[in-house]
């Protein structure tokens, strides 16, 4: 069985304009352990040292580190580093891949006398409106170009993924973190978060269950250029519920099925459930984080960090 190992470093720095007197933060920076993903080692460095710190699981099974500050501080630096091992993800069998999407939709519909299996009960949490994903006839109409009557769910979901990749342009300047999905859908522009929210809205609007996947993807530097520390970013993709299989992952940004280059942090109904870092604070003034992410294969780890080159240094040249 094929497997690969990666080292991931995710650095976040807040330098506050004003002193912060008290703050609470939730960190979702610990990768999940999955049948095809093994978390080999994880370290979370936090400075300054918080007044209190605890770790727990959220309702989706994602690890959360909660930190609380009661002393004055003018900066916050969080560095998450881990080694992870990936193996090939399973794929639906030929029989499962033939199941019509309408049959899956109907299996998720509520009836007073229906007894749901545990997997259908879990999937039901991902069928409805969530904070960043609406359900609307516009998304259903767009999805119908892929979801023809009687078409197999797996084939139709793959077609929808490729349709979004074809119809939407990747444009980091077009949206911000909390741009409504309606704006990105109308503009036909955005980033991985937008494309994932749009695809989820389409799937839910026709009665299917879909969840938002959060993690990292290995990026490849341009030909002739060296890989730089901090030049990567977090990534988002989608998973659709397939009965008797589980969750089929699809990446509309790249029009592919995630494999040995997608590292999973966790999942939720949309981005709001799986934000890598969020919090509330007293004070601070204006502040924007500096974020640097590095994903490097095991074979390149020693040479990358020995070179000392960083993404921020490259940008300043």
């Amino acid at each position: 069985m094929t497997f690969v190992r990666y080292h991931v470093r995710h650095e976040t720095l807040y330098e506050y304009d004003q002193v912060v007197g008290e703050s609470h933060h939730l960190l979702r920076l610990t990768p999940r352990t999955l049948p095809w993903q093994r978390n080999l080692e994880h370290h979370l460095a936090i400075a300054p040292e918080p007044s209190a710190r605890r770790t727990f699981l959220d309702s989706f099974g994602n690890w959360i580190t909660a930190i609380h500050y009661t002393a004055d501080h003018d900066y916050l630096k969080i560095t998450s580093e881990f080694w992870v091992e990936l193996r090939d993800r399973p794929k639906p069998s030929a029989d499962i891949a033939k199941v019509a999407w309408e049959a899956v939709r109907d299996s998720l519909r509520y009836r007073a006398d229906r007894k749901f299996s545990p997997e259908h009960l879990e999937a039901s949490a991902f069928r409805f409106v969530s904070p960043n994903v609406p359900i609307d006839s516009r998304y259903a109409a767009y999805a119908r170009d892929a979801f023809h009557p009687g078409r197999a769910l797996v084939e139709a979901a793959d077609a929808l993924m490729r349709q979004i990749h074809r119809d939407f342009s990747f444009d980091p300047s077009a949206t911000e973190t909390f741009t409504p999905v309606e704006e990105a859908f109308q503009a036909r522009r955005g980033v991985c978060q937008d494309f994932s929210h749009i695809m989820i809205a389409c799937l839910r609007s026709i009665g299917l269950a879909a969840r938002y996947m959060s993690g990292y993807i290995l990026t490849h530097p341009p030909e002739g250029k060296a890989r730089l520390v901090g030049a990567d970013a977090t990534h988002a993709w989608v998973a659709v519920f397939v009965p008797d299989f589980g969750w089929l992952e699809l990446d509309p940004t790249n029009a592919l099925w995630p494999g040995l280059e997608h590292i999973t942090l966790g999942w939720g109904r949309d981005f709001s459930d799986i934000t890598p870092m969020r919090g509330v604070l007293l004070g601070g003034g204006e502040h924007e984080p500096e974020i640097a992410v590095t994903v490097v294969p095991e074979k390149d780890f020693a040479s990358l960090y020995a070179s000392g080159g960083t993404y921020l240094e490259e940008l300043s040249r």
Side-chain angles (χ1 to χ4, degrees):
M1 181 181 290
T2 304
F3 72 90
V4 292
R5 289 177 178 167
Y6 296 104
H7 180 268
V8 178
R9 185 163 80 182
H10 184 153
E11 300 171 279
T12 305
L13 173 64
Y14 283 94
E15 293 183 308
Y16 302 119
D17 288 346
Q18 302 171 16
V19 169
V20 174
E22 183 175 5
S23 65
H24 294 265
H25 303 272
L26 297 179
L27 315 177
R28 292 181 175 87
L29 292 167
T30 304
R32 292 187 72 129
T33 296
L34 302 164
W36 55 87
Q37 177 172 293
R38 193 154 64 103
N39 186 0
L40 302 175
E41 183 180 353
H42 181 236
H43 299 285
L44 191 60
I46 303 171
E49 185 67 24
S51 307
R53 171 175 174 169
R54 66 188 180 98
T55 302
F56 60 95
L57 290 172
D58 68 11
S59 60
F60 302 110
N62 305 307
W63 283 107
I64 295 180
T65 300
I67 57 176
H68 180 202
Y69 287 94
T70 57
D72 289 352
H73 55 288
D74 57 9
Y75 79 99
L76 175 59
K77 183 176 183 180
I78 296 171
T79 303
S80 172
E81 288 194 76
F82 61 86
W83 283 97
V84 68
E85 181 179 282
L86 301 184
R87 297 178 182 272
D88 289 321
R89 287 164 165 79
K91 292 181 171 58
S93 68
D95 287 341
I96 290 174
K98 293 177 183 176
V99 175
W101 73 268
E102 295 100 331
V104 178
R105 175 201 62 196
D106 294 346
S107 75
L108 290 164
R109 283 178 170 166
Y110 172 77
R111 284 202 316 259
D113 60 345
R114 169 172 282 175
K115 293 183 179 179
F116 284 104
S117 67
E119 65 172 3
H120 278 75
L121 283 175
E122 179 197 14
S124 66
F126 301 94
R127 274 194 60 220
F128 305 107
V129 171
S130 58
N132 290 321
V133 176
I135 289 178
D136 190 273
S137 59
R138 290 174 298 167
Y139 305 111
Y142 181 79
R144 296 292 183 192
D145 287 344
F147 283 81
H148 307 151
R151 194 176 194 181
L153 169 62
V154 172
E155 181 183 339
D158 180 82
L160 176 62
M161 171 190 73
R162 298 178 189 281
Q163 181 178 318
I164 292 171
H165 179 75
R166 181 195 69 221
D167 293 347
F168 290 75
S169 299
F170 187 87
D171 182 356
S173 66
T175 59
E176 298 179 352
T177 302
F178 295 105
T179 297
V181 66
E182 295 92 339
E183 291 186 18
F185 183 71
Q186 183 174 356
R188 295 292 197 266
R189 311 184 78 81
V191 295
C192 61
Q193 174 182 307
D194 304 301
F195 303 156
S196 296
H197 282 156
I198 289 166
M199 185 168 178
I200 293 169
C202 291
L203 292 167
R204 291 182 188 168
S205 293
I206 59 172
L208 298 171
R211 64 190 185 191
Y212 182 97
M213 304 294 298
S214 174
Y216 308 94
I217 186 171
L218 177 68
T219 58
H220 299 275
E223 187 175 353
K225 297 286 187 178
R227 185 182 300 278
L228 297 175
V229 174
D232 300 313
T234 56
H235 191 53
W237 59 100
V238 175
V240 61
F241 175 65
V242 180
D244 300 319
F245 170 74
W247 294 87
L248 176 65
E249 298 179 38
L250 301 159
D251 182 348
T253 305
N254 297 292
L256 54 78
W257 293 22
L260 294 176
E261 295 187 349
H262 285 68
I263 300 164
T264 304
L265 270 179
W267 55 71
R269 297 166 302 165
D270 58 41
F271 175 73
S272 66
D273 286 333
I274 193 60
T275 312
M277 180 175 172
R278 68 190 310 170
V280 294
L281 49 94
L282 296 176
E286 294 291 328
H287 53 274
E288 288 292 334
E290 294 181 28
I291 300 173
V293 175
T294 308
V295 180
V296 57
E298 182 179 38
K299 63 182 179 62
D300 298 331
F301 174 76
S303 60
L304 173 68
Y305 284 99
S307 68
T310 72
Y311 181 58
L312 296 180
E313 289 173 352
E314 182 74 12
L315 289 179
S316 66
R317 290 176 184 170

